[in-house]
Amino acid sequence: MTSTRPKPNSGASGSPGRRQFLKDSGRTLGIVTLFALGLGIYSRQSHSLPAEALRPPGALEEDDFLSSCLRCGLCVRDCPFDTLDLAKAGDDVSVGTPYFTARDVPCEMCDDIPCVAACPSGALDKSLVDIDEARMGLAVLIDHENCLNFQGLRCDVCYRVCPAIDEAITLEHRPNLRSGKHALFIPTVNADHCTGCGKCEHACVLKEAAIKVFPLELARGKPGEHYRYGWEEKNERGSSLVAPDREHRYNLPSGQSYDFDKEGLIFEEETNAVTPFASDPLKTLNQGLEQAQ
Amino acid sequence: MKSQGKPGREAIISKGWFRAHQWLISRRFSQLFILMLFLAGPWFGWWIVTGNLSSSLTLGTLPLSDPFVLLQAIAAGHWPETAAITGAVIVVVFYLLVGGRVYCSWVCPVNLVTDAAFWLRQRLGIGGASSLSRKTRYWLLAAILLVSIVSGSIAWEMVNPVSMLHRGLIFGIGFAWIVVSAVFVFDLLVTRRGWCSHLCPMGAFYSLLGTRSLIRVRADNRSACNDCMDCYLVCPEQQVIRPALKGADKGIGPVIDSANCTNCGRCIDVCAPNVFHFGLRFNNQNSIGSADANHSSHSSGVEIS
């Protein structure tokens, strides 16, 4: 027999039995408390997700995802491209949860989103019906120094493979200051359209990709809540938010005016304005001398 | 009469080897068959069952979910979708009928590990009394749900050897073998039947689930008991046998009524006089070998110690 729990009346009186019982209970309570604390700390640590690990489309925000994912792997099984994998014990991703690494196998963005359909728990949100609305992460052209397009070459591979070409990735023209006469075609990610599928990162021809998909919270900056762009507000309201400028007054001598938009300084020649200055500066100086005599 | 050598030797002599192992063989078959259902997909491309024991889909239609994992998700603050709830309800109903810890002895892959550890422990003659209470698992169960509530995540599934082993066998084991080895070593060297019968909170959950389950081991023929102790020696939850087997004088019925009984049936195998058999929980009358008819309607109640 393994249990050391004594029979209630094992002692001469009830006291030794009760003492033993309290001792055992205390020990059990101690073990369980230590276990709970350890588990709690471990679970907090496991909340961090490495930057290269992306969740499947429709995944809830990471904290909610970890509270809802049952670690069953049904999404992994229903992925027709074997993109998804379940984290093994010892991986950096919370064990048993699905993820993919874009550089290895990117998401092919199936129209029917089979991984979301397979999820029994709702960790992958079924309200995602249009794969273009998925936000698995955000592509960031992180290394300008090694990106071939930044050198003035026409690699363009990330742009070409992008499922939302000309929307999620556009090529923006810049002057090539090195050659002085060519253009740079800068691949530019537009967060409004990027699903984070990772095809750009997967296809980047460099040994280490210059464009990478990061989790949204890593990839995006965020202006303060109170920030307003004047031009946007103006478009929205039809007029500037601040009071309009008063017409600027130039304190010019009479006979002169200033046209800001076109001609600049204008001398109104028809009026023969009398200036305090003679055309010959010497005369002016001599004037003062004559007065003194 | 004290049996000599391995428990069950008398039973082999009197019943033949096969009948003295029939439930053990059935159980191993069940464990491996269920494991193979899951492995047939990744190994041979026969996708009969996809997923793992946490949640699965059979033949593309039948969802099954582990109610314990789902309970943790709910404790963590997530209300699951219909598929998972349906799956869990089916599983709960099944175990309410056949006995909660049927999961432990007929399905759970860790049982193969801990049974192997127990077998080796017996072979090597490793003894020593345990200082662990069998109630620890219930405290662990409560602690896990508390951690889920506080941390807002299914924390236990990050370390649960049961789901780690099963998931690992199907999806790639990683370092989960270390956790499983730890369970093996613990059972081998530290505590007899340490994991399954003392610590495993999943087993504790299924115990509670099967508190009133229909199918039970019964000791209806207990008057034939020859005190050979073989059933005690093989039972993973030794404490559950005594009330039913020896309780006739105290008015306790012949049904092994503790929720901790895993319905493994090994006691039936090793009993030469055929004291035990599988039956229903009803008719728990203290009639056979009863000395006191006044206690005949007494039920032993639920014991979860």
Side-chain angles (χ1 to χ4, degrees):
Chain A
M1 296 292 278
T2 55
S3 176
T4 56
R5 197 160 66 95
K7 296 185 188 86
N9 296 319
S10 59
S13 68
S15 166
R18 170 181 290 187
R19 197 177 301 146
Q20 184 64 33
F21 173 75
L22 288 175
K23 211 172 121 188
D24 286 353
S25 303
R27 183 166 49 203
T28 303
L29 193 68
I31 292 171
V32 170
T33 308
L34 283 176
F35 162 82
L37 288 174
L39 185 62
I41 292 167
Y42 181 66
S43 77
R44 289 312 303 174
Q45 278 183 339
S46 302
H47 271 216
S48 58
L49 187 68
E52 66 274 14
L54 301 172
R55 293 295 186 200
L60 302 177
E61 190 264 321
E62 185 64 12
D63 276 357
D64 294 336
F65 187 78
L66 290 178
S67 75
S68 53
C69 174
L70 301 180
R71 283 88 164 148
C72 69
L74 286 173
C75 54
V76 174
R77 290 297 181 227
D78 277 17
C79 174
F81 298 95
D82 287 340
T83 300
L84 295 173
D85 211 350
L86 280 195
K88 299 173 184 64
D91 290 351
D92 288 338
V93 182
S94 183
V95 63
T97 56
Y99 73 104
F100 69 99
T101 309
R103 188 65 168 165
D104 298 336
V105 191
C107 173
E108 296 287 339
M109 288 175 59
C110 312
D111 280 334
D112 51 349
I113 329 180
C115 49
V116 174
C119 181
S121 74
L124 305 181
D125 192 349
K126 290 203 169 49
S127 66
L128 178 75
V129 288
D130 179 4
I131 189 66
D132 293 336
E133 300 297 320
R135 292 295 177 265
M136 295 167 265
L138 180 65
V140 179
L141 209 172
I142 193 160
D143 190 355
H144 293 186
E145 289 174 69
N146 286 307
C147 170
L148 296 181
N149 273 41
F150 265 86
Q151 313 305 315
L153 303 172
R154 290 300 303 273
C155 165
D156 295 4
V157 166
C158 54
Y159 164 76
R160 295 287 166 200
V161 299
C162 179
I165 184 170
D166 281 325
E167 288 179 328
I169 301 184
T170 50
L171 292 179
E172 304 293 333
H173 301 185
R174 301 274 161 74
N176 185 341
L177 297 178
R178 178 177 57 81
S179 72
K181 54 195 167 197
H182 300 98
L184 301 179
F185 291 76
I186 304 298
T188 305
V189 179
N190 303 290
D192 281 350
H193 297 282
C194 176
T195 62
C197 72
K199 298 210 82 168
C200 51
E201 178 177 346
H202 180 246
C204 179
V205 301
L206 298 186
K207 197 174 167 191
E208 182 72 42
I211 188 164
K212 287 176 174 156
V213 178
F214 288 125
L216 279 168
E217 66 274 14
L218 274 183
R220 298 224 71 179
K222 196 179 180 185
E225 298 293 334
H226 60 291
Y227 277 36
R228 299 285 184 274
Y229 293 122
W231 55 93
E232 282 179 2
E233 299 296 326
K234 195 173 172 182
N235 283 344
E236 215 170 278
R237 291 158 188 264
S239 65
S240 175
L241 273 189
V242 292
D245 283 344
R246 273 194 288 170
E247 201 181 338
H248 190 78
R249 297 168 67 119
Y250 298 94
N251 293 314
L252 294 169
S254 58
Q256 292 181 21
S257 61
Y258 192 82
D259 183 2
F260 178 81
D261 287 328
K262 287 174 188 162
E263 299 176 34
L265 195 62
I266 300 165
F267 294 94
E268 294 165 18
E269 284 169 24
E270 50 268 35
T271 50
N272 282 321
V274 182
T275 74
F277 305 108
S279 51
D280 182 0
L282 269 178
K283 249 182 194 170
T284 314
L285 289 172
N286 290 337
Q287 246 174 22
L289 220 109
E290 284 158 17
Q291 277 168 13
Q293 285 169 353
Chain B
M1 178 169 32
K2 182 90 177 162
S3 98
Q4 300 295 312
K6 277 177 68 179
R9 223 169 66 161
E10 279 175 61
I12 294 171
I13 292 165
S14 67
K15 299 195 285 191
W17 188 90
F18 181 77
R19 279 206 56 217
H21 291 86
Q22 61 171 330
W23 292 110
L24 182 65
I25 292 166
S26 313
R27 215 155 57 75
R28 293 285 177 257
F29 176 79
S30 162
Q31 290 167 330
L32 295 173
F33 178 72
I34 290 169
L35 196 56
M36 280 316 295
L37 282 179
F38 284 95
L39 286 173
W43 284 10
F44 310 116
W46 304 333
W47 295 103
I48 305 157
V49 183
T50 47
N52 57 40
L53 283 174
S54 297
S55 197
S56 66
L57 195 63
T58 303
L59 297 171
T61 45
L62 174 70
L64 293 174
S65 292
D66 180 7
F68 180 47
V69 179
L70 215 64
L71 186 66
Q72 292 174 67
I74 293 167
H78 174 82
W79 187 251
E81 277 183 14
T82 328
I85 293 172
T86 312
V89 167
I90 294 169
V91 170
V92 165
V93 168
F94 176 75
Y95 287 114
L96 281 177
L97 295 177
V98 303
R101 293 205 67 199
V102 163
Y103 175 86
C104 301
S105 57
W106 292 76
V107 178
C108 179
V110 169
N111 180 267
L112 290 163
V113 176
T114 56
D115 272 2
F118 178 68
W119 177 83
L120 193 59
R121 188 183 169 91
Q122 300 292 95
R123 282 298 293 264
L124 300 177
I126 300 168
S130 159
S131 58
L132 266 177
S133 162
R134 285 178 188 265
K135 279 181 180 163
T136 310
R137 51 188 152 181
Y138 295 99
W139 289 106
L140 289 180
L141 174 62
I144 282 161
L145 292 177
L146 196 68
V147 170
S148 280
I149 292 169
V150 172
S151 74
S153 69
I154 308 182
W156 172 241
E157 293 308 307
M158 295 172 191
V159 290
N160 184 357
V162 178
S163 52
M164 270 175 129
L165 174 61
H166 193 255
R167 195 192 307 114
L169 289 171
I170 299 165
F171 289 93
I173 192 108
F175 284 136
W177 66 268
I178 294 177
V179 179
V180 177
S181 305
V183 169
F184 182 86
V185 170
F186 181 70
D187 268 32
L188 178 66
L189 301 176
V190 183
T191 301
R192 181 191 187 273
R193 300 282 191 187
W195 175 255
C196 298
S197 302
H198 294 79
L199 292 181
C200 181
M202 212 160 165
F205 173 82
Y206 279 98
S207 282
L208 295 174
L209 198 60
T211 305
R212 293 274 157 215
S213 69
L214 284 182
I215 296 179
R216 295 289 192 186
V217 175
R218 300 177 61 108
D220 281 322
N221 197 20
R222 56 189 168 181
S223 57
C225 174
N226 60 9
D227 293 337
C228 74
M229 295 290 286
D230 280 1
C231 57
Y232 284 98
L233 289 174
V234 295
C235 182
E237 300 279 357
Q238 294 161 314
Q239 78 281 5
V240 307
I241 295 179
R242 188 181 173 81
L245 185 62
K246 296 294 167 191
D249 297 340
K250 294 170 194 150
I252 300 169
V255 172
I256 293 182
D257 205 19
S258 167
N260 282 335
C261 172
T262 69
N263 278 2
C264 71
R266 192 74 185 116
C267 55
I268 306 173
D269 280 350
V270 298
C271 183
N274 288 320
V275 168
F276 302 100
H277 68 105
F278 275 123
L280 299 178
R281 69 176 299 111
F282 309 115
N283 286 326
N284 193 13
Q285 309 288 320
N286 186 20
S287 54
I288 301 161
S290 166
D292 187 356
N294 292 337
H295 290 101
S296 61
S297 62
H298 177 83
S299 163
S300 66
V302 183
E303 184 202 13
I304 50 169
S305 61

